[in-house]
């Protein structure tokens, strides 16, 4: 198995490229179908959000998987592969796990620490489970990632950092309009980012906060929480004229505010200064709106530049990074132990079949032996086999995750003539059923990858076998922004991070 993450995000691509590659439901479905038809991809989960399009996959080979996934993304998004390759990043094995956990914690989001990504990951996994496109590798990875993301929000103060994007935009607005206190603010949308915006401007003392959303019930619910008022979606353009600051957070297809609408609004306002803060992707506000006299547009690209220039890493972010490093180390250690479990189970299965055959031979040759003697012979044989298998079993677990574990497993295969089909069958039998993702924030208690579930078959237990305390796994590197190497890959040209 080879774990890959291939995609592009606000860290690797400009806004216009992200808009071109954002997937709606039909295109997301098309990409999943395209991946299912490839030769290299065994499992796949497609994650598409307002600032990322990514494929998480278990593939047969690294280069083959990168090539086929890159081609699939290019075909579905209708972006030339040569153009796309300059913006794609590739994370492989350990770094793929680290990236997944970082995404779940909101560390890779444009609004650092935002929790909406958990719901998006959950939805992506649910779709893959429904389409039977996910198996043991990605199911375990995403279950663990969801749990890590939940830990980040419950055990650290990362939620405070998610306000930084909104705050940076409002700081820009204040440079044009002066303090927010006394100004009128209109928020278009009622999602997580809109809630942050409403909370922030309310605390800043905005004179009036108006919310417009396609689903009016959601707008009313948000407005009631902050003593704001709502306007019908059909009347949103009229409400623009009364707003000094307009914050858009819908990411809907097409532009919600055109240049013509902004021009009409500016005339009604007598050209008084107005700021549009566009936090959506795809963009809600036509970039041409910035050409209207008296209007300033602040978009995600500008905000990204401002936050990058700041260069400060809040303590909360470092807390979550440390948590991710800890979780990645634990996951990789358990994953390596789980990788050798089928070999151990097959070894015990082989031993059991030998014991059963010899006991049948004993019964045939000594039919007159009484039951008590027969049971004593059976117990003795089992004890002998236990003692013989105990040491190689313990050594196998101790060596899991080391450079020689693979050769040791191969040696066991050869020495004990283990049937590859038996090993594969045992491996398949240890797969967990898909997680129930109905709840908005599930507590995923059963996670074999996390707990290092012992898949040893019953019947030949290991009395006194010590628990695997340490695999000697090197501490993984702390997640960082995309740093691709110079390894150019065919067709997609994606770079191995």
């Amino acid at each position: 198995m080879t774990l890959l993450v291939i995609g592009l995000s606000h860290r690797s691509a400009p806004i216009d490229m992200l808009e071109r590659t954002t997937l709606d439901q039909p295109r997301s479905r098309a990409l999943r179908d395209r991946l299912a038809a490839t030769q290299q991809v065994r499992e796949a989960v497609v994650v598409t959000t307002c600032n990322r399009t990514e494929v998480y996959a278990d593939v047969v080979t690294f280069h083959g998987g990168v090539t086929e996934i890159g081609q699939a993304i290019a075909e579905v998004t209708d972006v030339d592969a040569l153009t796309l390759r300059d913006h794609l990043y590739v994370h492989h094995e350990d770094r793929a796990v680290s990236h997944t956990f970082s995404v779940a914690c909101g560390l890779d989001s444009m609004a650092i620490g935002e929790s909406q990504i958990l719901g998006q990951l959950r939805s992506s996994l649910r779709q893959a489970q429904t389409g039977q496109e996910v198996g043991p590798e990605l199911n375990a990875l995403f279950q663990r990632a969801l749990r890590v993301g939940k830990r980040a929000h419950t055990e650290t103060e990362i939620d405070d950092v998610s306000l930084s994007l909104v705050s940076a935009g409002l700081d820009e607005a204040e440079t044009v309009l002066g303090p927010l206190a006394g100004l009128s603010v209109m928020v278009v949308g009622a999602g997580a980012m809109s809630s942050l915006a409403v909370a922030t401007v309310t605390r800043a003392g905005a004179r009036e906060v108006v919310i417009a959303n396609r689903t009016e019930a959601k707008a009313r619910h948000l407005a009631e929480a902050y003593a704001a008022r709502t306007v019908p979606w059909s009347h949103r353009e009229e409400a623009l004229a009364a707003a000094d600051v307009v914050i858009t957070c819908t990411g809907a297809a097409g532009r919600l505010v055109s240049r013509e609408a902004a021009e009409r609004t500016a005339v009604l306002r007598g050209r008084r200064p107005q700021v549009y803060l566009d936090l959506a992707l795809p963009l809600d506000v036509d970039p041409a709106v910035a050409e209207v006299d008296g209007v300033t547009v602040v978009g995600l690209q500008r905000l990204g530049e401002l936050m990058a220039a700041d260069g400060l890493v809040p303590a909360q972010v470092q807390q979550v990074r440390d948590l991710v490093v800890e979780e990645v180390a634990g996951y990789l250690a358990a994953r390596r132990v789980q990788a050798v479990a089928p070999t151990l189970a097959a070894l015990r299965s082989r031993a059991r079949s030998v014991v059963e055959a010899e006991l049948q031979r004993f019964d045939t040759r000594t039919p007159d032996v009484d039951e008590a003697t027969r049971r004593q012979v059976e117990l003795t044989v089992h004890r002998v086999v236990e003692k013989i298998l105990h040491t190689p079993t313990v050594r196998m677990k101790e060596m899991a995750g080391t450079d020689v574990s693979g050769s040791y497993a191969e040696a066991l295969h050869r020495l004990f003539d283990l049937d590859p089909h038996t090993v594969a069958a045992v491996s398949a039998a240890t797969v967990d059923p898909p997680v129930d993702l109905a709840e908005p924030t599930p507590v995923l208690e059963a996670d074999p990858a996390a707990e290092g579930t012992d898949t040893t078959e019953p019947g030949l237990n290991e009395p006194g076998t010590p628990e695997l305390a340490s695999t000697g796994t090197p501490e993984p590197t702390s997640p960082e922004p995309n740093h691709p190497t110079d390894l150019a890959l065919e067709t997609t040209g994606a770079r191995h991070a």
Side-chain angles (χ1 to χ4, degrees), residues 8 30 50 92 104 115 117 129 149 154 177 216 219 276 308 328-330 351 381 393-394 430 446 449 469 495:
L8 68 169
C50 64
H92 175 234
S115 59
I117 186 65
Q129 289 175 340
T154 57
L177 303 172
E216 194 169 350
Y276 287 85
V328 169
V381 172
T393 298
V394 173
T430 62
R495 293 166 291 188

Side-chain angles (χ1 to χ4, degrees), residues 79-129:
V79 175
D80 179 70
L82 294 178
T83 302
L84 186 64
R85 72 178 183 181
D86 292 333
H87 306 293
L88 286 177
Y89 47 75
V90 178
H91 297 300
H92 175 234
E93 288 297 321
D94 294 9
R95 281 194 64 86
V97 175
S98 178
H99 176 78
T100 307
F101 290 1
S102 297
V103 168
C105 292
L107 290 181
D108 199 59
S109 299
M110 185 166 284
I112 295 176
E114 55 94 5
S115 59
Q116 190 175 10
I117 186 65
L118 277 175
Q120 293 163 334
L121 290 178
R122 191 178 301 111
S123 176
S124 298
L125 178 57
R126 182 186 295 114
Q127 291 173 357
Q129 289 175 340

Side-chain angles (χ1 to χ4, degrees), residues 93-176:
E93 288 297 321
D94 294 9
R95 281 194 64 86
V97 175
S98 178
H99 176 78
T100 307
F101 290 1
S102 297
V103 168
C105 292
L107 290 181
D108 199 59
S109 299
M110 185 166 284
I112 295 176
E114 55 94 5
S115 59
Q116 190 175 10
I117 186 65
L118 277 175
Q120 293 163 334
L121 290 178
R122 191 178 301 111
S123 176
S124 298
L125 178 57
R126 182 186 295 114
Q127 291 173 357
Q129 289 175 340
T130 301
Q132 297 184 327
E133 299 144 0
V134 65
E137 183 75 9
L138 294 185
N139 190 54
L141 176 67
F142 271 70
Q143 288 192 44
R144 184 64 171 263
L146 290 170
R147 192 166 73 182
V148 173
K150 183 177 176 64
R151 277 195 66 192
H153 288 284
T154 57
E155 298 179 18
T156 75
E157 297 177 349
I158 191 65
D159 290 340
D160 295 341
V161 183
S162 60
L163 295 171
S164 58
L165 188 71
V166 175
S167 298
L170 293 174
D171 287 345
E172 281 290 283
E174 288 187 329
T175 63
V176 177

Side-chain angles (χ1 to χ4, degrees), residues 163-430:
L163 295 171
S164 58
L165 188 71
V166 175
S167 298
L170 293 174
D171 287 345
E172 281 290 283
E174 288 187 329
T175 63
V176 177
L177 303 172
L180 278 175
L183 297 180
S184 175
V185 179
M186 179 178 178
V187 178
V188 183
M193 189 66 76
S194 298
S195 299
L196 286 175
V198 172
T200 304
V201 297
T202 300
R203 285 196 298 267
R207 171 174 54 83
E208 180 184 46
V209 181
V210 179
I211 303 171
N213 188 58
R214 281 189 176 85
T215 305
E216 194 169 350
K218 290 184 178 180
R220 284 198 304 268
H221 181 73
L222 179 57
E224 290 169 0
Y226 293 98
R229 70 179 182 88
T230 64
V231 294
W233 184 251
S234 57
H235 295 165
R236 65 187 183 281
E237 188 171 323
E238 292 91 321
L240 291 176
D244 300 304
V245 180
V246 179
I247 305 175
T248 62
C249 319
T250 71
R255 307 297 189 211
L256 292 183
V257 181
S258 64
R259 189 189 190 287
E260 293 74 18
E263 179 66 40
R264 291 192 296 269
T265 298
V267 171
L268 290 173
R269 289 177 55 82
R271 302 292 178 181
R272 286 184 292 114
Q274 186 178 37
V275 174
Y276 287 85
L277 177 55
D278 190 353
L279 303 178
L281 191 70
L283 300 175
D284 285 334
V285 179
D286 190 330
V289 169
E291 301 170 3
V292 177
D293 290 341
V295 173
T296 300
V297 177
V298 180
L300 288 175
Q301 190 161 353
R302 171 60 178 160
L303 294 177
E305 293 168 356
L306 290 171
M307 296 178 72
D310 187 19
L312 297 177
V313 179
Q316 299 95 323
V317 173
Q318 191 56 52
Q319 276 185 310
V320 178
R321 285 181 178 174
D322 292 343
L323 184 150
V324 168
V325 169
E326 169 198 330
E327 287 280 1
V328 169
Y331 182 82
L332 292 176
R335 184 173 178 238
R336 283 187 272 264
V337 171
Q338 194 175 37
V340 302
T343 297
L344 294 177
L347 176 62
R348 290 179 169 279
S349 176
R350 170 71 170 161
R352 185 171 61 247
S353 65
V354 171
V355 168
E356 291 174 351
E358 291 303 316
L359 288 175
Q360 288 178 1
R361 187 192 300 267
F362 176 79
D363 290 340
T364 301
R365 293 183 176 182
T366 56
D368 298 329
V369 171
D370 61 90
E371 184 63 22
T373 302
R374 198 262 182 206
R375 288 181 179 177
Q376 188 60 46
V377 169
E378 180 179 0
L379 181 59
T380 300
V381 172
H382 274 284
R383 284 175 175 169
V384 170
V385 173
E386 274 292 313
K387 292 181 182 297
I388 292 174
L389 293 185
H390 179 73
T391 297
T393 298
V394 173
R395 293 292 178 268
M396 188 69 169
K397 288 187 176 182
E398 289 176 345
M399 296 169 68
T402 67
D403 293 337
V404 297
S405 63
S407 58
Y408 188 83
E410 178 62 24
L412 289 179
H413 278 253
R414 292 180 179 274
L415 288 173
F416 290 93
D417 192 24
L418 301 182
D419 182 3
H421 298 293
T422 301
V423 177
V426 172
S427 180
T430 62

